[in-house]
Amino acid sequence: MNKDEIKVLLEQVKDNKIDVVQALEQLEDLPFKDLGFAKIDNHRELRVGYPEVIYCEGKTVEQVKDIIKFMLTKNNNILGTRATEEMYDAVKEICEEAEYNKLGRTIVIKKKEQQTTESYIAIVAAGTSDLPVVEEAYETARILGNRVEKIIDVGVAGIHRLFSRLDEIRGAKVVIVIAGMEGALASVIGGLVDKPVIAVPTSVGYGANFGGVAALLSMLNSCASGVTVVNIDNGFGAAYNASIINKL
Amino acid sequence: MNKDEIKVLLEQVKDNKIDVVQALEQLEDLPFKDLGFAKIDNHRELRVGYPEVIYCEGKTVEQVKDIIKFMLTKNNNILGTRATEEMYDAVKEICEEAEYNKLGRTIVIKKKEQQTTESYIAIVAAGTSDLPVVEEAYETARILGNRVEKIIDVGVAGIHRLFSRLDEIRGAKVVIVIAGMEGALASVIGGLVDKPVIAVPTSVGYGANFGGVAALLSMLNSCASGVTVVNIDNGFGAAYNASIINKL
Amino acid sequence: MNKDEIKVLLEQVKDNKIDVVQALEQLEDLPFKDLGFAKIDNHRELRVGYPEVIYCEGKTVEQVKDIIKFMLTKNNNILGTRATEEMYDAVKEICEEAEYNKLGRTIVIKKKEQQTTESYIAIVAAGTSDLPVVEEAYETARILGNRVEKIIDVGVAGIHRLFSRLDEIRGAKVVIVIAGMEGALASVIGGLVDKPVIAVPTSVGYGANFGGVAALLSMLNSCASGVTVVNIDNGFGAAYNASIINKL
Amino acid sequence: MNKDEIKVLLEQVKDNKIDVVQALEQLEDLPFKDLGFAKIDNHRELRVGYPEVIYCEGKTVEQVKDIIKFMLTKNNNILGTRATEEMYDAVKEICEEAEYNKLGRTIVIKKKEQQTTESYIAIVAAGTSDLPVVEEAYETARILGNRVEKIIDVGVAGIHRLFSRLDEIRGAKVVIVIAGMEGALASVIGGLVDKPVIAVPTSVGYGANFGGVAALLSMLNSCASGVTVVNIDNGFGAAYNASIINKL
Amino acid sequence: MNKDEIKVLLEQVKDNKIDVVQALEQLEDLPFKDLGFAKIDNHRELRVGYPEVIYCEGKTVEQVKDIIKFMLTKNNNILGTRATEEMYDAVKEICEEAEYNKLGRTIVIKKKEQQTTESYIAIVAAGTSDLPVVEEAYETARILGNRVEKIIDVGVAGIHRLFSRLDEIRGAKVVIVIAGMEGALASVIGGLVDKPVIAVPTSVGYGANFGGVAALLSMLNSCASGVTVVNIDNGFGAAYNASIINKL
Amino acid sequence: MNKDEIKVLLEQVKDNKIDVVQALEQLEDLPFKDLGFAKIDNHRELRVGYPEVIYCEGKTVEQVKDIIKFMLTKNNNILGTRATEEMYDAVKEICEEAEYNKLGRTIVIKKKEQQTTESYIAIVAAGTSDLPVVEEAYETARILGNRVEKIIDVGVAGIHRLFSRLDEIRGAKVVIVIAGMEGALASVIGGLVDKPVIAVPTSVGYGANFGGVAALLSMLNSCASGVTVVNIDNGFGAAYNASIINKL
Amino acid sequence: MNKDEIKVLLEQVKDNKIDVVQALEQLEDLPFKDLGFAKIDNHRELRVGYPEVIYCEGKTVEQVKDIIKFMLTKNNNILGTRATEEMYDAVKEICEEAEYNKLGRTIVIKKKEQQTTESYIAIVAAGTSDLPVVEEAYETARILGNRVEKIIDVGVAGIHRLFSRLDEIRGAKVVIVIAGMEGALASVIGGLVDKPVIAVPTSVGYGANFGGVAALLSMLNSCASGVTVVNIDNGFGAAYNASIINKL
Amino acid sequence: MNKDEIKVLLEQVKDNKIDVVQALEQLEDLPFKDLGFAKIDNHRELRVGYPEVIYCEGKTVEQVKDIIKFMLTKNNNILGTRATEEMYDAVKEICEEAEYNKLGRTIVIKKKEQQTTESYIAIVAAGTSDLPVVEEAYETARILGNRVEKIIDVGVAGIHRLFSRLDEIRGAKVVIVIAGMEGALASVIGGLVDKPVIAVPTSVGYGANFGGVAALLSMLNSCASGVTVVNIDNGFGAAYNASIINKL
């Protein structure tokens, strides 16, 4: 409600075209409903196919079940991340179509059909140990309506395997690079493609890896310019970002 | 402007007691001026004696001078923290009454008289090397209108000195404890007084002190329950908090 | 016992109004009973309703039971923090009225009625995962005799939810902000209220969160001036502090 | 050179349409010139207006001058980052049109006209101390051919200032958020916009800020999903990424 | 395929000695098969006795079994590191000759005879707690075809024990030093021998040892010049390196 | 065997007073037996009552049993630290007189009577949670033949309790201070006594305690001059040192 | 003043042997003068030759001069540590006999003769770069009245040099080991002597040395039992401790 | 001197073939000269062309000059590392042939001719900013008598440049990889060559690089097996190691 609209309203009051109570109703919500930030609240559900998201870690099976029960009432798609199998079993009881990705630890419930993008997100991963993060990213990107291509096991220690998949990677609109240990893959790909690269350090490694810190620092210090980084093991965040970019 | 006030305004419009343009003027600022969060913007100056604050570190002499020049137009008290002498000299040129606390690195400009609280803030410090932080806290608390008592050089290595000043410390409404090295003073005082204790770790120390981290961790882990902590060397923040509490 | 009182005592001795043994009894305790620091020892129980506190973590079920058994002899209120259900079961055997807050992991035993403050402490939390710390803070503040209002799930990612509760937060005498992940909520609230804000970083998060360090650093570096910080997950400490301030 | 092209070439050899030496010349470069990764080398200059970039830190004035001298022979636009004024003076001697951004420490040389995008990058910064990073990002985004809008001094401690600029931020195709201290601004904006947000922690702060680590961790742990992060003070990297996205 | 070979090929095409299709076949693989990096792919298996290596940590029993099943088809020697007994049992089912080193957590499958070097690798370890890393290094060096001598329990706290084994250590072509706690052994041996010393910090220790970081830093800062370091507990990496050197 | 003794020996050879074989026997051991460092090896057992020590952590029950079986053959006293109850049960089978300190996790076997010192070691601890370290130190000091006094639960948060035990602490020849959380007790005692103070940080605490690092840094940065530090939870090391000093 | 003495006093009052005012004088100081902790205050000066100590770092030349001027009035020996030459020049003006140790950065003023111990402290250092810390320790130990022997440049990289000085080291009553880089010397000496070893890590080193942290961790994790540690570069603290032990 | 030789000596004494004094002379040095570790002392100079090495950092110009003056008396080659130009000027005064490598900060004095190896060490570096470390390694390897090839500016962001130099790298007997920022080059090369790779992290970078820690961790966690690591910026150590290997 901009200045002009308020003016019109006031003139309607003055001219007795609407009464004070009605005018009041429209004005009193002004600060919260009409302000930019208020729109935020509902914008996600409004778009077709945007899922509800629930981060299950640190929640009890009971809590997860209750939250999803409530979400189901909105008839939206639902994505649960970091979910245990036990959680999935509980959710299954209240929702037949719930699907579980064991590696990625995601619960996906599809209530609405959703258009898939033509352009695709490439998810590139260094090793098989990075698969849990790959799968979390994959499920997230999918439920958000993206076409996705996975290119796995192309770590820099055997760099020719990476080159043989280069066309696929370059064909994507945005690239997610997932790597643990020293995370060098992000820099190498960053130097080979001219698309936005979102790097996900994984906690794969041991010793002076410090649960993914080695890969995280490596990616933050990447000598290739086209790389941004998300938190360790944050496959969801990377895919969420990639989806925004893929749909621009 | 609450619901009732808007209603009154609308009725005045209806009754032609004020015209649409005037009503519009009052309403169009609604989201920003009258919303709770909008009040924040101006609330400091509105209270008598509340100073404008400028954090000078990382600013050029020129920038500091310009900002203070602008602040002077509001005729408020002004506090500059982390100010160099060079900055002070530049400010002095545009404002005769500016005062500089060399140890505390503060510039203080008093434009308005200010009531001083009856209850006082005790600033307790372990050693003479902590004086710069003491002075920053002192000047901040003073310009905010507080009575302040300084109790210096009462580190735990000579604990009887602390005890001989205990009454003074206990007499305060809120206590700021400033200590570097291992910061043990905060725990000892926290166990001796029943007032809010705000601990300020200082960067005084060397080696495995890591620029105040030893004292910071010590204070965060205090075995005494009545202690909260601010950032290393943050005398301003401690005094600002203490002032809020002292004026409750 | 000050100088004048000792003088009176000595004169009574001289005048044979009390005998030497009686005088000795009063004097021999002087260093420990009458010194300022000695008063500390008993001050908590003396005030009506002040609880005994036991930190249960790292203690065996047996030890917790024994300590509480002893505490019960003093007929005081009792607060056990970081208590397991197993501990609670053991305590329940010796004290019927013991209550357990499963989320907050507290055992509360109310032996004495206690006045509740009129002013209240607002406990504001970012997400549902922060609830264990919220509940610890809540139980602590309650047993210390404070009125408490909880405002939950108002994280900065959906900032309009925070604004819709702003009046409640501003109405408090002191505000506890509990947040994990990046802990931004403390800064946002610090900028919106003019009351003492005690920030509690929680260990909620993963990866480069380092068990709450991200939120801790965030809160220590808050750009809002009115914020002090306690240790990660230290709901008890925050509430203990808030209670001191609330009762000033 | 794909399979078909090689076949054509071989047939030309067979038919004596080109001689062996000519064919050899085309084939011997095959592995390096025509392979995907080889294209990388030249792809930047080939696009109109793509600048050469030189990171000046840790180089001598002499070295910077020499490198730029060589770059000038290619007649491309040039961007020097982290450049001192002394470096600029040296460059000025060999190139009249070199421009220096003192705050951003960039040298910009425009040799070619460049189309500017219609969509824009919003650069949002918390405080005036973050300006050096803002300017580096600004100059980078500009020389890469982007329309840019700067929204400065909208830190979360005075959140209404941020809201008054929200439309401008939301109008952008991609948002760069630059903040030091606790870096909360990234989370707040991440929750308010539905565009890719690239967060740049700055080294602004002191004590337990650790040269930007507090803001870095804060941003990596952002509770808002749409946020990726670059290295501390890396205005260049953020702008480079934003430019790729802005031009998708 | 170098320039001369391509020339010959082209001349054969020209002279119709081979037809275009055959020539094409040879040329089209050029970028991937003949480039230096492409050779890498197969180089390990080509050498007699070089084992396939599988890092089992973070893989399921099923995965390990499947991978080894596939490896067995190549009839090569196989080394599994960080393998649990459960994994071994599963592998045993599909391969009778699989052997398990319980301490070193390695699975070894010898399919081919292998020459053992005359020169030997000395594996020197500080204490018995370092044995798991010793055994991993030992099995790795053995399956790679090296003669190995183990010198155990010669920590610096009883330095005469080290001296009594000095000849054995000096007789080696390359020395692996394995030590936890403060890792001083690497420096002492580095000062006593004139052979390449590869230091392996182990995670043996507690408190301020930080899971091997103390030993790691100690070794990286060794005052003896002849020492290089691998990751904490990385017995495999040390032995792999030592083997390369031993076979030079 | 010094120069003069060797000369005498050679003259005896020359004069045929002893034959070559006998002389050779004495000389060939020279480098190892007679050198200073060679004496080290046996010095511990030679002294009455000096125990064999075995650090059990990271060893299997079997290994611990075997090592102690071997140690028993020397008929010495034995101290096992960081031992589980399961280890104790196994040891008990081969040695009736083995005793287990459950809190301190020590196994003690007394084979020889031992003189106890007249001077005593004071073991002072902040809280009951520090008891495991207290007990490890106690058992170590006892088996090494020291009189020991324990002063427990005298943390700085209730400093008068500490003062009431001060005479006992000051009466010791050497003081061990054991404290977790912020470890302030070491500084306070360091300022109150004029004896060597050995500080042991414990891993008691949570959050920003980092497993004892807060106390460790606190103790290393102690403002009291008479304090040295051992590793976190290292009750054994502290007692071993204290014993050396107590017996000077 | 114990119970019996107070009783005597009271009886004297009763019997009019002393008047109330005199009795009062003795009693009113009771809490501060006669309590154990009060004795601390003066104990240092009371012993012959005990110096006043001033830590000069972080103080201005003026402040150092003023403090020493005041100290001179007590006619005691004085030790200034971390003093610059400029400070020394200022002190020289007010005290002719002040001496400066340039390497150790100490100012020493001898006002009283002092007995030197017969037993000695051995100060052992790894390299010539550790000399500043050696000299600080040396001057401290000397002014405290100890005989001191320095054994320099016996780092573990050339371990035979250490052995050739072993008798000297073993002859000491207490050993200070000063070493930077990896600090292995402390462990080696700890294994060779049976005296208290106080280890001082120095900040000598670079890269992953982190200003002495590598040596600090190394020493805290020493595999030799007889080692305690002080802060990085804390030669004063080590010598102060060694002196207490040497005089037991 | 082994057992047989001692026997022969004793028999010569017995038979009066040599007198007691001569025999004594040979025997009295036994512990130090003939023991294995004693040989160490002189082994470097004994080999032709082995240089004396002096680490100049933290030494005064005077000290460096004096040490080199002494070294010159032995007529050996000399290598000074981390030397300033001022040091070089001082050395130049006493030794005409001293040469200074400004980038590498080395002083080299060649007094003896030296054979150069046929096999070579490849020094591979990511960027021009790594040149100081490259030059230190180069000068070290050269003065130790090695043929060296430098391959510069082949960072992974432009990986085709690396491939065009691959043959040169593979031709080496040992490869030194020098890289800052994220240090990914070590992993890429480790995967491409089958020679020992010694990785040197450099302190090139900013922000979350932490002075080379990012590259250090990256290299320690390298997914390529053939990589060992030395300290940050330790070009000397890498070359010293490489030289030992190159001469095997």
Side-chain angles (χ1 to χ4, degrees), chain C residues 36-206:
Chain C
F37 59 84
K39 282 171 194 156
I40 279 297
D41 203 22
N42 305 306
H43 79 110
R44 289 186 186 165
E45 302 93 293
L46 297 179
R47 306 186 178 191
V48 180
Y50 244 68
E52 308 267 348
V53 179
I54 168 171
Y55 176 73
C56 301
E57 193 135 315
K59 299 202 170 62
T60 65
V61 172
E62 205 67 18
Q63 287 175 317
V64 169
K65 193 178 172 181
D66 287 354
I67 293 170
I68 287 184
K69 197 180 232 165
F70 173 75
M71 284 174 166
L72 285 167
T73 63
K74 305 206 208 162
N75 227 37
N76 240 316
N77 290 344
I78 295 171
L79 170 65
T81 63
R82 311 274 161 123
T84 62
E85 269 192 279
E86 205 189 344
M87 287 172 182
Y88 171 64
D89 292 340
V91 170
K92 189 88 183 176
E93 288 171 25
I94 55 171
C95 177
E96 264 303 302
E97 62 265 61
E99 280 169 39
Y100 189 61
N101 183 321
K102 204 169 165 177
L103 258 179
R105 295 173 59 207
T106 54
I107 296 169
V108 165
I109 300 174
K110 277 197 194 151
K111 283 289 183 189
K112 289 182 180 166
E113 262 322 288
Q114 194 183 22
Q115 234 182 323
T116 296
T117 59
E118 254 178 86
S119 63
Y120 63 90
I121 298 168
I123 300 180
V124 187
T128 51
S129 318
D130 302 314
L131 281 178
V133 183
V134 168
E135 289 304 306
E136 186 183 285
Y138 178 79
E139 294 289 353
T140 302
R142 289 294 300 159
I143 196 73
L144 287 164
N146 297 279
R147 188 180 141 210
V148 185
E149 301 295 333
K150 289 189 268 190
I151 296 104
I152 308 299
D153 213 5
V154 291
V156 299
I159 211 164
H160 60 288
R161 284 180 308 204
L162 173 62
F163 286 120
S164 69
R165 307 289 298 273
L166 208 48
D167 285 347
E168 237 171 309
I169 299 172
R170 285 185 170 159
K173 188 163 173 191
V174 50
V175 182
I176 295 173
V177 179
I178 296 169
M181 305 191 80
E182 91 287 53
L185 187 61
S187 292
V188 172
I189 289 183
L192 288 170
V193 308
D194 206 15
K195 299 290 165 49
V197 173
I198 298 169
V200 192
T202 71
S203 52
V204 170
Y206 61 91

Side-chain angles (χ1 to χ4, degrees), chain H:
Chain H
M1 184 173 266
N2 60 23
K3 200 174 166 177
D4 289 335
E5 291 171 331
I6 298 178
K7 200 176 168 192
V8 168
L9 183 74
L10 289 173
E11 276 161 356
Q12 288 175 325
V13 170
K14 190 186 168 194
D15 302 343
N16 278 318
K17 287 187 180 156
I18 67 167
D19 65 23
V20 166
V21 174
Q22 280 174 312
L24 185 60
E25 244 158 48
Q26 287 184 48
L27 283 170
E28 75 182 347
D29 282 346
L30 196 64
F32 294 110
K33 284 237 187 80
D34 253 11
L35 265 186
F37 60 85
K39 283 172 193 155
I40 280 298
D41 202 20
N42 306 304
H43 79 109
R44 288 184 188 166
E45 303 94 294
L46 296 178
R47 303 183 180 193
V48 179
Y50 246 65
E52 307 268 347
V53 180
I54 169 171
Y55 177 72
C56 301
E57 194 136 313
K59 297 199 172 65
T60 64
V61 173
E62 206 66 16
Q63 287 175 315
V64 169
K65 193 178 171 182
D66 286 353
I67 293 170
I68 288 185
K69 196 180 234 166
F70 173 75
M71 283 175 166
L72 285 167
T73 63
K74 304 207 207 162
N75 227 38
N76 240 315
N77 289 345
I78 296 172
L79 170 66
T81 63
R82 312 273 162 125
T84 62
E85 267 192 280
E86 205 191 342
M87 287 171 182
Y88 171 63
D89 291 340
V91 170
K92 189 87 181 179
E93 287 171 25
I94 54 171
C95 176
E96 265 301 302
E97 62 263 60
E99 280 168 40
Y100 189 60
N101 183 321
K102 204 168 165 178
L103 259 178
R105 294 173 59 206
T106 53
I107 296 170
V108 166
I109 300 174
K110 277 196 194 151
K111 284 288 184 187
K112 287 180 181 169
E113 263 321 289
Q114 194 184 22
Q115 234 181 325
T116 297
T117 58
E118 255 179 84
S119 62
Y120 63 91
I121 298 168
I123 301 180
V124 187
T128 51
S129 318
D130 301 315
L131 280 179
V133 183
V134 168
E135 289 303 305
E136 185 183 286
Y138 178 79
E139 294 289 354
T140 303
R142 290 293 299 159
I143 196 74
L144 287 164
N146 298 278
R147 189 181 139 205
V148 185
E149 300 295 332
K150 291 190 268 191
I151 296 104
I152 308 300
D153 213 6
V154 292
V156 301
I159 212 164
H160 59 289
R161 284 180 307 207
L162 173 62
F163 286 122
S164 68
R165 306 290 297 272
L166 207 48
D167 285 346
E168 236 172 309
I169 298 172
R170 285 183 171 159
K173 188 163 174 192
V174 50
V175 181
I176 295 172
V177 179
I178 297 169
M181 306 192 83
E182 92 288 53
L185 187 61
S187 291
V188 172
I189 290 184
L192 289 170
V193 307
D194 206 14
K195 299 290 165 48
V197 172
I198 299 169
V200 192
T202 70
S203 52
V204 170
Y206 62 91
N209 183 282
F210 305 121
V213 168
L216 173 64
L217 294 185
S218 182
M219 287 166 170
L220 284 169
N221 286 283
S222 176
C223 55
S225 308
V227 180
T228 60
V229 186
V230 296
N231 198 359
I232 297 162
D233 289 337
N234 190 3
F236 166 76
Y240 189 93
N241 272 280
S243 175
I244 296 180
I245 296 171
N246 191 32
K247 292 180 171 179
L248 283 180

